[in-house]
Amino acid sequence: MRTREGGRIVEETAVIARVRAGEPEAYAELVRAHTRIALRAATALGAGADAEDVVQQAFVKAYCALGRFRDDMAFRPWLLSIVANETRNTVRAAARRYSLAGREAAFAEAEPVVPESVDPAVVTLETERRAALTAALEKLSEEHRLVVTYRYLLEMNEQETAQALGWPRGTVKSRLNRALRKLERLLPDFRPRKVGDNRA
């Protein structure tokens, strides 16, 4: 699997082999390549202000489990499944849920929605659309919220989503279809962006 890290390609299999061969500093390449998506995932799944701590802990757990990582798997979905588990543990341990407004604001800060050069009216519409989508996602069951988050907010393809969630691809398809039907009822104008399934 090849991943971009600051404009260059990281050959994940080769990096993982180096770490397993006793070169732990090579793991930093994987951390750099996947930190941004891991932060987006933790934030979108409800970690709020704890997102950085969640991601740091997830990278530590992934490093410790690297010996059990299967070479035929992609690293990113495997890592994001650890991020999701760590997020759930953090939220439960804190015995509280972050407010909808706080989660929406944190997610907006984590990933700018539109460039600053865009017309302010467009920015306002996009912000309102994001807030409406976040509110609608809160009304879905956890499994439906997870599958929509992975497929559309994190832009993972179907295979990656299945791997990250530990579900068969057929389960991903059926739960995603049900989740999208519910979102369409809640948000009549909702049209998710297509995410390609031709990536390795």
Side-chain angles (χ1 to χ4, degrees):
M1 182 72 176
R2 294 152 66 91
T3 299
R4 286 202 172 276
E5 178 217 310
R8 71 187 185 91
I9 299 294
V10 174
E11 290 285 354
E12 293 180 350
T13 305
V15 174
I16 290 168
R18 285 165 54 201
V19 176
R20 287 173 170 166
E23 192 181 332
E25 59 274 12
Y27 190 65
E29 293 184 41
L30 294 175
V31 172
R32 284 191 297 271
H34 295 285
T35 294
R36 187 176 180 196
I37 190 71
L39 282 169
R40 285 181 64 198
T43 303
L45 295 172
D50 294 324
E52 288 188 12
D53 291 339
V54 164
V55 168
Q56 184 175 9
Q57 190 60 33
F59 274 119
V60 170
K61 289 190 174 180
Y63 178 81
C64 293
L66 212 52
R68 299 191 302 275
F69 177 74
R70 290 190 355 237
D71 291 333
D72 62 331
M73 296 174 67
F75 182 78
R76 182 174 74 153
W78 180 73
L79 171 69
L80 292 183
S81 68
I82 297 172
V83 171
N85 287 336
E86 200 57 33
T87 300
R88 275 195 293 274
N89 292 342
T90 298
V91 170
R92 286 177 186 153
R96 61 183 168 80
R97 284 293 211 192
Y98 287 97
S99 70
L100 174 61
R103 185 183 299 188
E104 202 280 326
F107 190 56
E109 287 175 15
E111 184 69 18
V113 179
V114 289
E116 291 180 10
S117 60
V118 174
D119 184 326
V122 173
V123 174
T124 301
L125 286 173
E126 185 63 29
T127 301
E128 288 174 359
R129 184 176 183 273
R130 176 65 63 99
L133 177 58
T134 304
L137 284 171
E138 287 292 321
K139 296 177 182 174
L140 300 182
S141 67
E142 183 178 8
E143 63 185 25
H144 288 163
R145 189 166 52 249
L146 281 171
V147 74
V148 171
T149 296
Y150 278 101
R151 283 288 279 133
Y152 295 108
L153 297 181
L154 301 178
E155 299 179 357
M156 296 176 72
N157 66 30
E158 193 175 275
Q159 180 178 339
E160 291 171 331
T161 301
Q163 182 183 327
L165 295 173
W167 300 345
R169 286 182 75 163
T171 302
V172 169
K173 280 185 179 178
S174 62
R175 290 181 179 171
L176 184 62
N177 285 335
R178 285 196 292 270
L180 292 179
R181 283 199 301 270
K182 289 180 181 178
L183 278 178
E184 285 172 359
R185 286 196 297 272
L186 293 167
L187 297 168
D189 296 330
F190 175 72
R191 295 289 180 275
R193 285 192 293 264
K194 295 289 183 188
V195 179
D197 278 320
N198 54 357
R199 284 184 289 160

